[in-house]
Amino acid sequence: MNGPLLAVSGLSKHYRRAGKMVAAADDVAFDIQPGQTLALAGPSGSGKSTIARLVLRLIEPDAGNIRFEDADFLALGGAALRARRARLQMVFQDPLAAFNPRATVARVLDDPLRIHGIAERSERPRRIAALLERVGLPTELAQRAIHEISGGQRQRVAIARAIATKPSLIVLDEAVSALDVSVRGKILELLLDLQREEGIAYLFISHDLGVVRAIAHRVAILDGGRIAESGDARAVIDVPRSAIGKALVAAAPKLPAPARTAS
Amino acid sequence: MNPLLSIRDLTVRYDSRHDKAPALRSASLDVSVGERLAIIGESGSGKSTLALAIAGLLPRPARIQGSIDWFLPLDGKAPLGGRDIGFVFQDPSGSLDPVMSIGKQIGEVIRTHLGLGRRAARARAAELIERVRLPDPRAVLNAYPHQLSGGQRQRVAIAAAIAAGPKLLIADEATSALDTIVQAEIVTLIRQLVAEDGMTLIFISHDIALAAELAQRVAVFRHGELVEVGETADIVTKPRTAYTRSLLDAHLGLDAAPLLDLTPPVPA
Ligand SMILES: Nc1ncnc2c1ncn2[C@@H]1O[C@H](COP(=O)(O)OP(=O)(O)OP(=O)(O)O)[C@@H](O)[C@H]1O
Ligand SMILES: Nc1ncnc2c1ncn2[C@@H]1O[C@H](COP(=O)(O)OP(=O)(O)OP(=O)(O)O)[C@@H](O)[C@H]1O
Ligand SMILES: [Mg+2]
Ligand SMILES: [Mg+2]
């Protein structure tokens, strides 16, 4: 591959809501390089999840292009689309909603291995154990039901499932927003480890600018379906130029200074 | 300050195969009328359990020991959810009916508890939608939950919780899904409601900075136990426990050291 991993241009999606048109995504363009993290930040309703769903082809755009791994992603169908989907995975905020809560962890991890023909039936239990280990979970967890494990453990399972098919890009929509700070810190470390070791790129959606600044290479700030500004994550968040960027940064809650120990 | 409720030695157990330890162990806490109290602590520490116990909303198999005494003119009756206590649930989709329009859901609360007619209820619902800063209130009233973004749904849940003018508002991670601007607006709104309507607030959050901005007192929970409780400034600047210290250190503020290994950003 010689271009970016993902190149999006002119992407638009409108919704009709109670008789009015809402521009959920409006002429959006961005690139993601292999092994890099692009964060999408922006106020509630600015179109972050819509863009995630468009990139994953869970919904179809009104207009625009999506190139993924040098292929016209929107033109793919059938077997070619299925094959390419293995390279583009997702993790959402609430894994309970994404999984059948009664399914076991083993079952959740078995699905992608089977569907994408990644491992023979006899080999899969070993693969599942390896995936659990990779995301820092005890292998005994495989036999538990999804509703019997904690939120942080569930999010690790969701990441294990996402990496099962050896993706080049994972879309994470508010994937750490529901986690407490200590669990969140560990999950972020895990994501950075996976990126370093397997070269995975992330489209990382979060309204938490502190998290974005800590883990993303670049950030695009959305407002009303449009990109208001984009650039190096720390540069943009430290000195935002757009009105919305400034407002988001100014409104972030801050701890009084003496609270922090030097790190 | 006048007491609103007094919790003594509250222990809550869920019947669960994997979990023998109580979800809440011997917690004692007083809440005053008109105060803003934050409850923080790691996942599974018992925050929601405490909130549900106060609101009388614990699921059936849960067993309670200890006492929760109310100082409200209730004639010996338990406070009523919706009317006396507004509750914003951690999972906003759980508190909204997917097949009912937003206007109808909020209107329903108003009609049940305030006895208003259909038109008056709708007008009040529109007012509430504006109060939680949802854009285009008219369109939102006619919309269904799936047509709103996550943060928009959360604001609807807050509007429904305050619809009947409750004495106590319990917000369980109510602003965690919101961007900082709306979050700051909701925080201002909640302050206003407390100040103007004489409401009392119990605010549950993972975000210690947000909790510190909103609350006068902070209670820290861990493994079902109350670790410490005190004035916000004291908890945040001189915590008495290592656990509270670790929560403060794990906060990723805008000035935190990045986790990502990067050469310094190229100046633009
Ligand atoms: N199925 C739908 N029908 C109608 N409108 C929709 C639909 N899905 C999203 N929208 C609207 O599109 C806009 C963008 O929504 P989106 O969910 O992408 O926002 P978001 O940036 O992810 O917000 P949040 O931070 O609250 O999750 C919002 O105004 C939303 O109400
Ligand atoms: N309905 C239930 N049945 C059985 N166990 C439960 C139930 N609800 C909570 N628990 C358990 O009780 C303990 C306390 O849970 P609780 O939901 O009160 O924690 P929390 O502090 O609100 O956590 P979070 O920050 O993740 O929301 C946990 O061990 C949890 O697994
Ligand atoms: Mg979203
Ligand atoms: Mg909870």
Side-chain angles (χ1 to χ4, degrees), chain A residues 13-18 20 22-25 41-53 59 93 173-174 205-207 222 224-225, chain B residues 135 143-155 177-179:
Chain A
K13 177 77 183 175
H14 293 79
Y15 284 113
R16 180 177 291 282
R17 195 179 62 204
K20 275 188 148 182
V22 179
S44 170
S46 60
K48 304 181 295 293
S49 298
T50 299
I51 293 171
R53 288 195 282 262
I59 53 175
Q93 173 166 358
D173 190 351
E174 304 283 6
I205 294 173
S206 175
H207 65 272
L222 286 152
Chain B
Y144 289 84
H146 78 272
Q147 295 177 316
L148 302 178
S149 77
Q152 291 167 339
R153 274 199 296 273
Q154 192 61 292
R155 280 181 274 175
L178 302 177
D179 64 76

Side-chain angles (χ1 to χ4, degrees), chain B residues 42-49 51-52 90 172-173 204 206:
Chain B
E42 68 196 16
S43 190
S45 59
K47 305 184 296 296
S48 295
T49 300
L52 292 170
Q90 189 161 0
D172 192 351
E173 300 286 356
I204 298 172
H206 283 138

Side-chain angles (χ1 to χ4, degrees), chain A residues 16-18 20 36-37 42-46 48 93-94 144 147-148 150-152 174 177-185 188-189 192 195-196 207-211 213-217 232 234-235 237-238 241 244 247-256 258-261 263, chain B residues 17-18 41-44 47 90-91 93 135-136 138-140 142-143 147-152 155 175-184 206-210 212-213 236-237 243 245-266 268:
Chain A
R16 180 177 291 282
R17 195 179 62 204
K20 275 188 148 182
Q36 295 245 318
T37 299
S44 170
S46 60
K48 304 181 295 293
Q93 173 166 358
D94 180 10
R144 291 260 199 104
H147 71 87
E148 294 175 328
S150 77
E174 304 283 6
S177 306
L179 303 175
D180 74 65
V181 286
S182 47
V183 179
R184 183 184 70 186
L188 292 176
E189 294 283 3
L192 292 178
Q195 182 164 71
R196 256 190 314 271
H207 65 272
D208 189 330
L209 295 177
V211 170
R213 188 178 171 283
I215 64 131
H217 296 88
D232 174 280
R234 277 187 270 168
I237 292 169
D238 290 347
R241 286 155 199 278
I244 191 72
L248 286 167
V249 168
K254 287 156 196 86
L255 273 178
R260 190 83 48 54
T261 43
S263 53
Chain B
R17 283 175 295 152
H18 294 292
E42 68 196 16
S43 190
K47 305 184 296 296
Q90 189 161 0
D91 170 15
S93 42
D136 203 353
R138 184 92 45 82
V140 169
N142 292 319
Q147 295 177 316
L148 302 178
S149 77
Q152 291 167 339
R155 280 181 274 175
T175 64
S176 309
L178 302 177
D179 64 76
T180 51
I181 299 172
V182 177
Q183 201 172 58
H206 283 138
D207 187 337
I208 196 166
L210 182 66
E213 276 195 4
V236 164
T237 56
Y243 178 63
R245 171 91 270 159
S246 76
L247 288 180
L248 289 163
D249 288 343
H251 176 71
L252 280 176
L254 295 186
D255 53 354
L259 300 172
L260 181 68
D261 244 340
L262 267 186
T263 44
V266 208

Side-chain angles (χ1 to χ4, degrees), chain B residues 127-143:
Chain B
E127 226 175 84
L128 285 160
I129 292 291
E130 254 172 85
R131 228 174 156 185
V132 293
R133 307 284 188 279
L134 277 161
D136 203 353
R138 184 92 45 82
V140 169
L141 282 180
N142 292 319

Side-chain angles (χ1 to χ4, degrees), chain B residues 20-43:
Chain B
K20 292 277 184 306
L24 203 62
R25 193 199 317 256
S26 249
S28 297
L29 192 65
D30 293 318
V31 183
S32 304
V33 172
E35 88 159 313
R36 301 187 302 268
L37 171 71
I39 297 182
I40 64 170
E42 68 196 16
S43 190

Side-chain angles (χ1 to χ4, degrees), chain A residues 255-260, chain B residues 231-240 244-245 248:
Chain A
L255 273 178
R260 190 83 48 54
Chain B
E231 298 290 319
T232 302
D234 293 340
I235 294 281
V236 164
T237 56
K238 35 181 199 264
R240 288 194 302 270
T244 305
R245 171 91 270 159
L248 289 163

Side-chain angles (χ1 to χ4, degrees), chain A residues 164-181:
Chain A
T165 60
K166 300 220 171 297
S168 57
L169 176 64
I170 302 179
V171 175
L172 301 113
D173 190 351
E174 304 283 6
V176 300
S177 306
L179 303 175
D180 74 65
V181 286

